[in-house]
Amino acid sequence: MWRLANQKGLIETWPDIREESEPQRDPIAWMPDEIQSLLAAINRQSGEIDGIPAWLWWGGVVRVILDTGERISAVMAAESTWMQGGWLRVPAEARKGKTRDRSYRLAPQTVAGIAMIRQHSRHKKLFPWPYNRNYLWQRFRQIVADAGLPTGRKYQFHALRKTVGSAVYAAGMDPQDTLDHSDRRTTQRYIDPRFSREKQTCDVLAEFLANPGKAKKRGTA
């Protein structure tokens, strides 16, 4: 605020207080076994959501996020007319920044799940939610807890998006394009280091210990 006030000409002095250094935290994605635990917990969900079996509704939402890397806001805005065969086209207006449309090919299991949802609902939304918006996050947190996973702020819908970005990166694809970030530095905050393409220190040491003769030969040379 002090710097802004100086830049706006409201005060003449520039801040002389040293900024506190903030620790840089690793992004947290879910590993394959954790995703499987989450999907298993979803399959145990009972009851209905706007006439749709809850397990089917939640399974559709999570699988669409995993197939697309889209934000939960765009997925919740999705309409049945956005589905064309096995593709989901998300118009720019429903996406953060509202800059461009994105089209995604969905996995066969996701397409089949959406088809089953349509058998239970003729609502224009793919995933109608008749409750308060905040309840969506509360219910998801309960499902995450049922899966035996941490339920903190970093373990919500955005963890799915970070999982997509990290998995795409590990596969050698471009996570910036997948997540549609304008700045690569933003994308870097989505890549869980456990999904690294590179050798880890433990890999190098394992090779070193497994081939002591090679290491000795290099040192002699």
Side-chain angles (χ1 to χ4, degrees):
M1 292 179 66
W2 191 343
R3 287 194 298 272
L4 178 62
N6 174 268
Q7 292 166 355
K8 295 294 185 180
L10 301 177
I11 58 175
E12 296 181 357
T13 58
W14 185 257
D16 55 4
I17 300 174
R18 180 181 300 176
E19 292 186 46
E20 291 188 19
S21 59
E22 295 185 38
Q24 296 183 358
R25 306 297 185 190
D26 284 341
I28 297 176
W30 276 317
M31 304 302 285
D33 61 323
E34 294 174 316
I35 292 292
Q36 292 301 327
S37 295
L38 178 63
L39 293 174
I42 286 174
N43 286 334
R44 294 193 294 270
Q45 297 303 301
S46 59
E48 296 182 345
I49 299 174
D50 204 45
I52 304 168
W55 67 269
L56 190 59
W57 191 97
W58 283 106
V61 168
V62 168
R63 289 187 183 279
V64 167
I65 296 176
L66 290 174
D67 283 356
T68 65
E70 270 292 358
R71 298 172 177 83
I72 182 62
S73 56
V75 173
M76 292 302 295
E79 299 181 5
S80 59
T81 55
W82 298 5
M83 285 290 299
Q84 299 293 331
W87 288 75
L88 175 67
R89 184 187 66 83
V90 183
E93 293 80 3
R95 306 185 65 248
K96 184 178 180 179
K98 306 181 187 299
T99 54
R100 61 171 175 161
D101 300 346
R102 289 297 297 263
S103 293
Y104 307 96
R105 182 168 61 84
L106 304 180
Q109 188 172 0
T110 307
V111 175
I114 291 175
M116 292 175 64
I117 288 174
R118 300 309 298 164
Q119 294 176 6
H120 293 275
S121 172
R122 294 301 172 191
H123 199 286
K124 71 174 185 177
K125 292 288 184 68
L126 282 182
F127 306 108
W129 182 254
Y131 311 111
N132 183 282
R133 186 77 172 189
N134 292 333
Y135 186 52
L136 179 69
W137 273 262
Q138 182 180 338
R139 284 291 297 117
F140 187 65
R141 187 177 295 109
Q142 292 171 352
I143 293 173
V144 171
D146 186 41
L149 302 174
T151 58
R153 181 175 57 85
K154 293 184 177 181
Y155 297 89
Q156 297 304 304
F157 289 108
H158 228 54
L160 293 170
R161 187 164 155 81
K162 291 177 181 178
T163 300
V164 173
S166 298
V168 163
Y169 171 79
M173 296 171 60
D174 184 1
Q176 182 179 1
D177 178 67
T178 298
L179 301 176
D180 200 22
H181 289 147
S182 58
D183 190 333
R184 183 163 293 277
R185 288 174 297 181
T186 301
T187 306
Q188 291 172 348
R189 297 198 293 269
Y190 280 68
I191 308 303
D192 189 317
R194 294 175 296 174
F195 289 73
S196 174
R197 301 174 185 168
E198 310 299 331
K199 284 185 176 180
Q200 298 292 306
T201 304
C202 63
D203 301 322
V204 176
L205 265 293
E207 293 178 4
F208 169 76
L209 295 174
N211 300 282
K214 183 185 295 186
K216 184 178 181 181
K217 188 174 182 180
R218 284 202 302 267
T220 302

